[in-house]
Amino acid sequence: MFLTLDLESEEPIYTQLKHQIIAGIAKKEFSPGEALPSVRSLASDLGINLHTVNKAYQQLKQEGFILIHRQKGVVINPDGVAKADDIYWTDLTAKLRPLIAEAVCRDVSDEDFQKLCSQIYTEFQPKE
Amino acid sequence: MFLTLDLESEEPIYTQLKHQIIAGIAKKEFSPGEALPSVRSLASDLGINLHTVNKAYQQLKQEGFILIHRQKGVVINPDGVAKADDIYWTDLTAKLRPLIAEAVCRDVSDEDFQKLCSQIYTEFQPKE
DNA sequence: ATAACTGTTATACTATAAATATAACAGCTA
DNA sequence: TAGCTGTTATATTTATAGTATAACAGTTAT
C-alpha cells in the first residue's frame, strides 16, 4: 500500500484517503477484487484512528468503489466502478463550474484549460 | 444584485457568495470598478449575518477579485483579475486531479470530459 | 454639528464536522 | 479458544461556520 497523508493539509484525512484510493483504482494500481487493508491495520499503519479509515471506506462503499463483506474484509469492487450516470454528470458539472468561472476571470482559454485536463489525464494512463 | 443562496446546501454560505460573485465577474455581469453592496446591506438583503458577508469579501479581496476602501466601499477590481500564475496552476491542478481520477474510474474519456468543460465555458460567454 | 453610512475589530455563543479514544458486539477462522 | 473481521455506541477535543451585539474610526450628506 502506498498511501501517504498530509496532516497539515486543510483537506480532511478521510477525504485524502478516498482520493488516493480512487486515484489508485484509476491508475490500475488496484485491481477489481483486490483486498484492501482492514480498518484497524490501515489506521495503525497511518497512525490515525480506525474511525477515520472507516468513514472513508463507508463513503467509498456508498459510491460503489469498494465492497465490504461483514466478517470478511474490504475489496475493490470486482465489477468495476459504475459508469457515469445523470447524477454523476450533474455533480461533476457543479464541481467544475466554480473552477471554470475563476479560470475565465484569469483569462485562461478553453484550450489552455483542456490542455491541463489532458495532462492530468495522462497521470492516470496505465504504464505500458 | 442577483445573488441567491441555498441554505440547505452543504456548501458554506460565504463560499456560495464567493462563487457567485466570481461567476458574475466571469459573465461580465459585474464591470471593473463597479460597486458591490456594503456588508450590512447585502447581509440584510440575504437575511444572513454581516460577518458571513465580510468573510466572503475578505477572501475575494485576498484573491484579487475586489478592492475594499476602508471608509468608502467595495468595488470590483478596476484592473481586472490577476492573470493565471504558477500558484494558480498548481492549485487548479490539485483541485482537478480528484475529479479526473473519478472520471477515469467511470470510463469518462478525455474527450467527454473536455466536452463538458467547453459546455460550461459557454455559460460564461458574454451574451452578444 | 449631527446623523447615517462605510469597513473593521472584539467578544461571546451555538451548531456542526473532523478526529480521536475506548469499549463492546457478532461472526468468521486458524 | 484466540485473533481477526466490520460495526455500533459513547465521550471528548478541536476547528469551522454562522449568528448576535457592540463599539471604533473615518466619510458623506443633511
Side-chain angles (χ1 to χ4, degrees):
Chain A
M1 293 291 300
F2 302 108
L3 297 180
T4 55
L5 295 179
D6 177 6
L7 299 179
E8 307 303 316
S9 169
E10 292 185 13
E11 187 181 10
I13 296 177
Y14 78 95
T15 305
Q16 293 184 44
L17 279 180
K18 284 179 63 182
H19 286 164
Q20 291 203 29
I21 290 172
I22 293 173
I25 297 175
K27 292 182 183 174
K28 318 273 190 221
E29 292 172 358
F30 299 134
S31 310
E34 181 175 343
L36 287 180
S38 72
V39 289
R40 284 180 178 82
S41 69
L42 181 52
S44 173
D45 284 354
L46 297 173
I48 61 177
N49 194 274
L50 98 177
H51 291 105
T52 306
V53 176
N54 192 244
K55 187 172 184 176
Y57 276 179
Q58 287 298 327
Q59 294 191 7
L60 286 168
K61 167 190 169 190
Q62 181 68 28
E63 297 165 20
F65 292 96
I66 64 176
L67 295 185
I68 305 180
H69 297 90
R70 171 94 196 192
Q71 267 80 18
K72 285 182 179 178
V74 181
V75 294
I76 303 294
N77 192 331
D79 302 326
V81 183
K83 289 267 179 72
D85 58 7
D86 281 0
I87 296 176
Y88 168 75
W89 285 112
T90 303
D91 187 59
L92 177 58
T93 302
K95 286 174 179 165
L96 282 172
R97 191 175 286 114
L99 301 184
I100 293 179
E102 177 163 359
V104 169
C105 290
R106 297 198 187 278
D107 255 350
V108 174
S109 70
D110 192 351
E111 290 72 25
D112 285 341
F113 195 90
Q114 297 198 354
K115 203 172 296 179
L116 177 60
C117 291
S118 290
Q119 177 192 317
I120 298 172
Y121 250 88
T122 63
E123 293 182 20
F124 299 102
Q125 224 71 22
K127 3 185 183 323
E128 84 289 345
Chain B
M1 292 291 301
F2 303 108
L3 297 180
T4 56
L5 294 179
D6 178 7
L7 299 179
E8 309 303 316
S9 168
E10 292 186 14
E11 188 183 10
I13 297 177
Y14 78 95
T15 305
Q16 292 183 43
L17 280 179
K18 284 180 63 182
H19 286 166
Q20 291 202 29
I21 291 172
I22 292 173
I25 297 175
K27 292 181 183 174
K28 318 273 189 221
E29 293 172 358
F30 299 134
S31 310
E34 182 174 343
L36 288 180
S38 72
V39 289
R40 284 181 179 82
S41 69
L42 182 53
S44 173
D45 285 355
L46 297 173
I48 60 176
N49 194 273
L50 97 178
H51 290 105
T52 307
V53 176
N54 192 245
K55 187 171 184 176
Y57 276 179
Q58 287 298 329
Q59 293 192 8
L60 286 169
K61 167 191 169 190
Q62 180 68 27
E63 297 166 19
F65 292 97
I66 64 177
L67 294 186
I68 304 181
H69 297 91
R70 169 95 196 193
Q71 266 80 20
K72 286 182 177 177
V74 181
V75 294
I76 303 295
N77 194 332
D79 303 325
V81 183
K83 290 269 179 70
D85 58 7
D86 281 0
I87 296 175
Y88 168 76
W89 285 113
T90 303
D91 188 58
L92 178 58
T93 302
K95 286 173 179 165
L96 282 172
R97 191 174 286 114
L99 301 184
I100 292 179
E102 177 164 358
V104 169
C105 290
R106 297 198 187 279
D107 257 348
V108 174
S109 69
D110 192 352
E111 290 73 25
D112 286 342
F113 195 89
Q114 298 198 352
K115 203 172 295 179
L116 176 60
C117 291
S118 291
Q119 177 191 315
I120 298 173
Y121 250 87
T122 64
E123 292 182 22
F124 299 103
Q125 224 72 22
K127 1 183 180 349
E128 83 294 344

